[in-house]
């Protein structure tokens, strides 16, 4: 047994939604480097095409293709599924990464912030997976299941609003949905797992991670004293999608630098 046999994705086809930036971009690069054919989709098709060109220029064993895809509506999902089917007959890996957020203080948080966020972050994850399930089932076997990786958030694990109430609630829903789907899809040779990231550099977190000074300040509040790096996502994806992760389903990997286990002070601290 070698690292190659454990983590190689040669011959696999993957779809990464929201793959043009942030965590999706990190994951797409990891999959390409492991030998997969990676379909990258987001609302901004030109950005996906540009990222695919960058990944193909690396000379990695895998390849990338970029195109537009919107998971925020039934029509958008149907169009995305049709595009995927036009490019491949089977699908080995689905990464549900597309997501949106909305921030406002308690007392000013608008009603419309719920419908939009839940539609993309929860309904989009479920509906896209449901409609791609026949392709995943076609490729999955007992020895080598198809893989679904959902992107949750540490904010879905711990009671942390930070003004993003609908986002945090949506990610808690993603984590619970991951476990439900893992239970129901295991008989069909499809594993379903989730990442629960903490702070990473992305378009969504640009307000807090856009430069080194901001990243240092954010990292100082993380137990492991830094924000996430590309390789943190890459390592998780290669484990979950490679042979080494074929016996894991329903797991939520806390890629959050320890935020997931942060708690209050020891209740006897002052006495001690």
């Amino acid at each position: 047994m070698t690292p190659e046999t454990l983590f190689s994705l040669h011959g696999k086809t993957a779809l990464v939604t929201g793959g043009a930036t942030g965590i999706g971009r990190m994951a797409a690069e990891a999959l390409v480097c492991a030998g997969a054919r990676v379909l990258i989709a987001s609302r901004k098709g030109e950005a996906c095409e540009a990222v695919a060109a960058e990944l193909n220029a690396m000379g990695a064993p895998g390849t990338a293709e970029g195109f537009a895809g919107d998971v925020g509506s039934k029509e958008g999902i149907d169009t995305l599924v049709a595009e995927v089917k036009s490019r491949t007959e089977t699908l080995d890996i689905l990464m549900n990464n597309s997501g949106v957020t909305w921030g406002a203080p308690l007392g000013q948080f608008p009603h419309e912030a719920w419908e939009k966020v839940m539609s993309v972050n929860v309904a989009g994850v479920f509906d896209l997976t449901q409609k791609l399930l026949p392709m995943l089932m076609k490729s999955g076997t007992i020895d080598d299941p198809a893989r679904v990786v959902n992107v949750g958030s540490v904010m879905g694990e711990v009671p942390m609003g930070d003004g993003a109430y609908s986002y945090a609630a949506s990610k808690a829903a993603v984590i619970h949905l991951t476990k439900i789907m893992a239970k129901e899809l295991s008989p069909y040779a499809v594993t379903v797992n989730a990442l629960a990231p903490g702070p990473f550099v992305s378009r969504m977190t640009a307000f807090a991670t856009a430069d080194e000074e901001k990243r240092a300040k954010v990292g100082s509040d993380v137990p492991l004293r830094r924000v996430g790096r590309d390789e943190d996502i890459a390592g998780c994806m290669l484990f979950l999608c490679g042979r080494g992760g074929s016996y894991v389903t329903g797991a939520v990997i806390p890629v959050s630098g320890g935020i997931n286990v942060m708690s209050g002070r020891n209740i006897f601290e002052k006495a001690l």
Side-chain angles (χ1 to χ4, degrees):
M1 188 176 298
T2 66
E4 174 70 14
T5 60
L6 285 175
F7 305 117
S8 172
L9 298 176
H10 285 272
K12 303 291 186 181
T13 299
L15 170 64
V16 179
T17 66
T21 60
I23 288 173
R25 169 67 168 76
M26 298 172 199
E29 181 172 342
L31 297 175
V32 168
C33 287
R37 176 192 178 196
V38 183
L39 311 180
I40 301 170
S42 77
R43 287 176 298 171
K44 298 184 178 180
E46 291 183 358
C48 292
E49 292 174 7
V51 168
E54 292 172 5
L55 296 180
N56 289 329
M58 297 190 312
T63 61
E65 303 167 32
F67 51 89
D70 183 8
V71 300
S73 69
K74 177 184 181 301
E75 294 74 20
I77 291 172
D78 288 343
T79 300
L80 174 55
V81 170
E83 180 67 27
V84 172
K85 288 181 176 179
S86 73
R87 293 171 181 261
T88 180
E89 293 184 357
T90 60
L91 188 66
D92 303 282
I93 299 164
L94 168 61
M95 185 185 195
N96 286 306
N97 171 71
S98 288
V100 296
T101 189
W102 194 307
L106 185 63
Q108 301 175 32
F109 202 81
H111 186 275
E112 57 267 27
W114 288 91
E115 182 177 1
K116 178 180 179 180
V117 172
M118 298 299 282
S119 178
V120 174
N121 295 5
V122 185
V125 167
F126 178 83
D127 198 35
L128 181 62
T129 304
Q130 177 176 247
K131 289 175 177 173
L132 290 175
L133 187 56
M135 299 180 73
L136 292 163
M137 291 169 59
K138 185 176 180 179
S139 67
T141 67
I142 291 176
D143 290 329
D144 189 11
R147 317 299 167 90
V148 177
V149 181
N150 297 326
V151 178
S153 169
V154 70
M155 294 180 72
E157 290 192 293
V158 299
M160 183 186 301
D162 280 6
Y165 302 102
S166 56
Y167 175 82
S170 75
K171 292 304 183 178
V174 167
I175 289 171
H176 192 60
L177 185 60
T178 295
K179 297 176 183 179
I180 293 172
M181 297 174 77
K183 177 183 177 181
E184 295 188 352
L185 298 185
S186 55
Y188 304 102
V190 178
T191 68
V192 187
N193 295 290
L195 305 181
F200 277 79
V201 179
S202 70
R203 186 173 56 194
M204 188 179 291
T205 65
F207 70 95
T209 62
D211 58 57
E212 191 60 42
E213 183 179 356
K214 289 183 177 180
R215 290 193 288 273
K217 288 180 179 178
V218 172
S220 68
D221 287 329
V222 176
L224 289 181
R225 312 299 292 171
R226 64 173 176 85
V227 300
R229 299 173 182 148
D230 292 14
E231 57 263 33
D232 299 320
I233 296 298
C236 291
M237 289 300 294
L238 296 185
F239 166 63
L240 289 175
C241 297
R243 189 170 182 83
S246 63
Y247 201 49
V248 177
T249 194
V252 180
I253 300 184
V255 203
S256 60
I259 296 174
N260 57 301
V261 290
M262 288 176 67
S263 62
R265 294 181 176 180
N266 188 317
I267 59 174
F268 300 117
E269 182 176 350
K270 291 184 177 180
L272 295 173

